[in-house]
């Protein structure tokens, strides 16, 4: 059965669920934390390097050699960070947990945003561009839309997988040049200007993320999910 659009089975709904709240999802966590967390309990800009654990408690070592001790530690690292081994666990995590971690996929989705003084592109929410090269700037989304940010002059294109990794290794100017080649090919009868703003995030190269989304591969068993936790 195809449950893609069956919300009772975890599928997508017919409603538009694109989050455009400019406060970001962090607002949800901050609001919850504000009910109990005190400022002196928060350590910002602190990178964890080592977690030493035993039956007697846990010691966390930061990049500046500061140590924190506790009875328990809740780890919220991304799957990519765990797969890269950026955090040293002492003792090392058991083999069954490492197998579950390495069995999943940390994918990279790159959204490339462009802003123009005037909109010249499609009136719909989305458009697809088909190129002879697989994955070359195919999925376009219109943010200058009545449901999103009308009058913003914003449009973005999404690339994934190997193509995402490829552009992360390029200069911004080179990526912009390629994107504009595609956009001008999409509108050959329109004089397409250069954007007034251009931005994309290098999620895979960021050591705090190492990717964008974690996915279960087709062969991944549900048991593996519980083993990661």
């Amino acid at each position: 059965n195809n449950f893609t659009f069956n919300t009772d089975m975890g599928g997508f709904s017919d409603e538009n669920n694109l989050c455009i709240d400019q406060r970001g999802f962090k607002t949800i966590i901050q609001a919850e934390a504000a009910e109990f967390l005190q400022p002196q309990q928060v350590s910002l800009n602190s990178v964890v390097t080592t977690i030493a654990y035993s039956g007697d408690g846990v010691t966390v070592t930061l990049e500046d050699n500061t140590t924190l001790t506790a009875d328990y530690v809740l780890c919220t690292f991304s799957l990519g960070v765990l797969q890269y081994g950026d955090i040293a666990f002492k003792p090392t995590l058991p083999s069954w947990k490492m197998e579950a971690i390495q069995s999943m996929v940390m994918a990279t989705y790159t959204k490339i945003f462009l802003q123009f003084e005037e909109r010249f592109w499609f009136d719909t929410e989305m458009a697809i561009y088909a190129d002879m090269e697989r994955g070359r700037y195919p999925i376009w989304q219109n943010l200058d839309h009545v449901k999103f940010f009308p009058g913003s002059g914003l449009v973005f294109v999404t690339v994934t997988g190997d193509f995402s990794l490829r552009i992360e290794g390029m200069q911004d100017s080179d990526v912009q040049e390629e994107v504009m080649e595609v956009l001008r090919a999409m509108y050959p009868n329109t004089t397409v200007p250069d954007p007034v703003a251009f931005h994309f995030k290098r999620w895979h190269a960021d050591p705090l993320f190492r990717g964008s989304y974690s996915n279960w591969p087709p062969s991944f068993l549900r048991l593996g999910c519980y083993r990661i936790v």
Side-chain angles (χ1 to χ4, degrees):
N1 294 326
N2 186 349
F3 297 124
T4 303
F5 295 101
N6 186 335
T7 54
D8 293 335
M9 300 301 294
F12 298 107
S13 74
D14 293 326
E15 300 297 322
N16 174 16
N17 291 318
L18 176 64
C19 179
I20 58 173
D21 189 328
Q22 296 186 66
R23 297 174 301 171
F25 285 112
K26 68 178 182 180
T27 305
I28 300 173
I29 304 301
Q30 290 173 336
E32 292 182 346
E35 298 181 3
F36 62 89
L37 197 63
Q38 300 301 315
Q40 62 270 22
Q41 295 176 287
V42 181
S43 180
L44 301 176
N45 299 315
S46 302
V47 179
V48 174
T49 58
T50 305
I51 298 178
Y53 62 99
S54 69
D56 298 324
V58 185
T59 299
V60 176
T61 303
L62 305 181
E63 198 172 41
D64 62 0
N65 291 323
T66 298
T67 57
L68 307 172
T69 58
D71 294 329
Y72 302 96
V73 164
L74 177 64
C75 295
T76 58
F77 307 117
S78 76
L79 176 67
V81 169
L82 293 173
Q83 289 178 332
Y84 262 72
D86 292 325
I87 313 299
F89 288 90
K90 297 181 179 181
T92 57
L93 295 177
S95 58
W96 55 265
K97 185 175 288 290
M98 289 303 301
E99 180 183 3
I101 290 172
Q102 296 299 338
S103 295
M104 291 189 68
V105 175
M106 188 65 176
T108 301
Y109 281 57
T110 306
K111 293 179 172 60
I112 306 170
F113 294 86
L114 303 94
Q115 186 175 33
F116 297 88
E117 292 183 349
E118 295 183 0
R119 184 175 64 81
F120 56 84
W121 52 88
F122 48 95
D123 295 324
T124 56
E125 295 180 31
M126 302 188 69
I128 302 296
Y129 169 74
D131 192 273
M132 294 294 292
E133 180 181 357
R134 181 181 176 87
R136 187 170 187 262
Y137 310 109
I139 305 172
W140 292 78
Q141 290 180 255
N142 176 20
L143 291 182
D144 192 341
H145 188 278
V146 64
K147 292 184 179 180
F148 305 130
F149 299 111
S152 65
L154 289 169
V155 64
F156 73 92
V157 58
T158 301
V159 296
T160 65
D162 291 340
F163 209 93
S164 284
L165 303 185
R166 172 183 172 273
I167 68 169
E168 283 198 16
M170 298 168 58
Q171 296 293 324
D172 283 16
S173 58
D174 294 332
V175 177
Q176 178 177 320
E177 182 178 347
E178 285 192 353
V179 172
M180 292 307 299
E181 285 179 2
V182 168
L183 201 52
R184 286 168 177 143
M186 292 169 65
Y187 296 94
N189 298 322
T190 300
T191 300
V192 178
D194 287 333
V196 296
F198 178 86
H199 175 75
F200 70 95
K201 170 72 176 178
R202 291 173 169 82
W203 291 109
H204 181 78
D206 192 321
L208 300 182
F209 297 96
R210 302 293 192 189
S212 310
Y213 294 98
S214 56
N215 287 319
W216 293 10
S219 60
F220 192 75
L221 300 177
R222 185 175 295 273
L223 177 61
C225 178
Y226 298 114
R227 284 181 169 177
I228 291 179
V229 177

